Amino acid sequence: MLKPRPGIMDIAPYKGGDAKLPGHARVLRLASNESPLGPSPRAVEAYRALASELHRYPDGAAEALRAAIGQAHGLPAEQIVCGAGSDELISLVTRSYAGGGDEVLYSQYGFLMYPLAAKTVGATPVAVPARNYGADVDAMLARVTPKTRIVFLANPNNPTGTLLPAAEVRRLQKGLPGDVLLALDSAYAEYVGDSGYEDGAALVRDHGNVVMLRTFSKIYGLAALRLGWGYCPPAVADVLNRVRGPFNVPAPSQAAGVAALADRAHLDKARAHNERWLPWLAAKLTEIGLEPVPSAGNFLLVRFPDPALTADMAAEFLNRRGILPRKMAPYGLADCLRITIGLAEENEAVAQTLADFAAPRGAAHRAGAR
Ligand SMILES: Cc1ncc(COP(=O)(O)O)c(C=O)c1O
């Protein structure tokens, strides 16, 4: 009888955010941290322009895209490896550096693809207890063993939105043995307002055991095209280039990526939109007695503290009005929902709907505050 390798059948397939609601023709899709503004029109044009070239293989080396990324970020193009979404980079890194019996560390409430990738290669995922929903560097370092091969850290973290200060990320790197790879996942880097934030590029430049992972799925609004990249020490780039598929990034995705990088105005617009609406929504939800975790991303993890008004009930209430948040039980956060910052009217609809949902408690909360 055919049998997959040990560990594979323990994997719960990753379930993306819902996109449809029965009975609703128009749905407010706030479950996957996509950009409400969509991509740059220039990226769409570049994508369309390749429609007559679909019989051609893409450039397997993604030369133009790596050059454009290198230029935009001030990084050497030869140390950039592109992939079909940063998901593919997570998988490539794991396949390349961990195997059966090894351990892959990540923070509790970290992105679910990390344990999934670890299980795929027969490694043991180790979730290190979080502190205030974010990574606890001391706890992570304490959990490193001779079996540890990779430490994944999303900063800002999804789904909690928490930000680890640059000094803490550096302390984590410093405490790791040189043969443990630190994979810094900076999927939401462009949204961070904190001027002291570091995306991890400097750590990659200065150390042989750090990689930085990035994506075009979030602020660039190109999730459908599956486009991500990693900035790696030369030896790691060499390894990933051996393991990846020779044509792992489609030509239209590469072209759209180049065009997206050239449209700084669109990037600034998306950032400004988030800077306006993230604090607005957080304040509205706090006002009605809900507990949004301070977020550095384009989403809010919202805690529902009242056992009579649970996150599941809120999700149902939102669904009835055609709004799709992300349920958090798979992350062990069943008392929370994650809500992506949407268009102005979508954010207003979320605030109004949750105010209606929490009306009795909200009134009590306001009375208590007086
Ligand atoms: C922290 C983090 N890393 C990686 C990804 C994957 O992004 P991509 O679409 O590039 O595969 C996501 C997507 O939600 C994410 O939140």
Side-chain angles (χ1 to χ4, degrees):
M1 200 174 80
L2 271 182
K3 255 197 194 168
R5 284 193 299 102
I8 302 279
M9 296 314 288
D10 298 338
I11 297 172
Y14 184 86
K15 193 177 170 299
D18 291 328
K20 288 185 189 145
L21 276 171
H24 290 271
R26 190 178 165 274
V27 172
L28 277 57
R29 292 173 60 173
L30 305 176
S32 297
N33 298 346
E34 297 150 344
S35 171
L37 304 190
S40 156
R42 285 157 72 172
V44 177
E45 203 178 304
Y47 168 82
R48 282 215 182 98
L50 280 178
S52 58
E53 295 289 320
L54 298 187
H55 55 305
R56 302 289 178 201
Y57 278 96
D59 171 11
E63 295 269 3
L65 176 60
R66 287 188 302 108
I69 293 168
Q71 203 181 20
H73 290 265
L75 303 174
E78 61 278 10
Q79 285 175 246
I80 290 165
V81 178
C82 296
S86 47
D87 277 350
E88 189 186 16
L89 272 305
I90 293 168
S91 162
L92 288 174
V93 161
T94 309
R95 277 162 57 202
S96 301
Y97 290 95
D102 292 335
E103 293 180 347
V104 172
L105 254 60
Y106 65 107
S107 179
Q108 180 189 19
Y109 315 134
F111 187 43
L112 274 183
M113 285 306 293
Y114 310 147
L116 197 152
K119 286 181 190 167
T120 305
V121 300
T124 304
V126 177
V128 179
R131 196 171 45 185
N132 289 334
Y133 295 101
D136 178 339
V137 169
D138 289 314
M140 290 186 93
L141 289 175
R143 195 54 194 78
V144 174
T145 75
K147 289 182 180 172
T148 309
R149 299 270 57 88
I150 306 172
V151 175
F152 278 106
L153 178 76
N155 199 34
N157 184 50
N158 172 29
T160 58
T162 48
L163 190 71
L164 197 62
E168 283 293 279
V169 180
R170 285 176 175 270
R171 198 161 70 79
L172 176 62
Q173 189 282 328
K174 215 170 174 183
L176 292 177
D179 64 351
V180 173
L181 181 67
L182 175 60
L184 291 173
D185 183 341
S186 308
Y188 299 92
E190 294 87 353
Y191 286 112
V192 181
D194 184 334
S195 58
Y197 174 69
E198 291 183 6
D199 61 8
L203 278 177
V204 178
R205 189 190 59 221
D206 296 342
H207 303 279
N209 67 335
V210 186
V211 297
M212 170 182 75
L213 308 183
R214 303 291 287 261
T215 181
F216 282 86
S217 298
K218 303 302 172 187
I219 204 162
Y220 288 103
L222 291 170
L225 294 188
R226 313 306 304 123
L227 188 56
W229 55 280
Y231 169 46
C232 319
V236 177
D238 177 43
V239 166
L240 300 187
N241 278 323
R242 291 167 195 263
V243 176
R244 71 177 174 84
F247 304 106
N248 59 334
V249 183
S253 305
Q254 294 185 30
V258 171
L261 286 166
D263 193 346
R264 302 299 296 181
H266 188 77
L267 182 74
D268 291 343
K269 198 166 133 190
R271 194 185 284 122
H273 177 86
N274 198 63
E275 274 170 10
R276 160 145 197 238
W277 288 101
L278 180 79
W280 182 89
L281 188 60
K284 286 283 177 199
L285 300 186
T286 306
E287 239 172 63
I288 58 172
L290 303 180
E291 297 176 359
V293 175
S295 173
N298 66 333
F299 55 89
L300 283 170
L301 182 76
V302 184
R303 195 171 159 264
F304 291 75
D306 186 342
L309 293 167
T310 65
D312 273 349
M313 288 158 67
E316 232 174 81
F317 199 92
L318 287 159
N319 287 173
R320 278 205 292 275
R321 296 209 190 161
I323 301 171
L324 266 172
R326 186 69 157 262
K327 288 190 171 190
M328 286 285 108
Y331 282 91
L333 292 162
D335 59 341
C336 300
L337 294 178
R338 194 192 67 195
I339 304 172
T340 305
I341 298 303
L343 295 169
E345 59 270 25
E346 294 177 323
N347 304 323
E348 281 159 358
V350 167
Q352 185 58 55
T353 304
L354 286 175
D356 293 348
F357 169 74
R361 187 194 148 81
H365 181 79
R366 281 189 295 277
R370 240 177 260 134

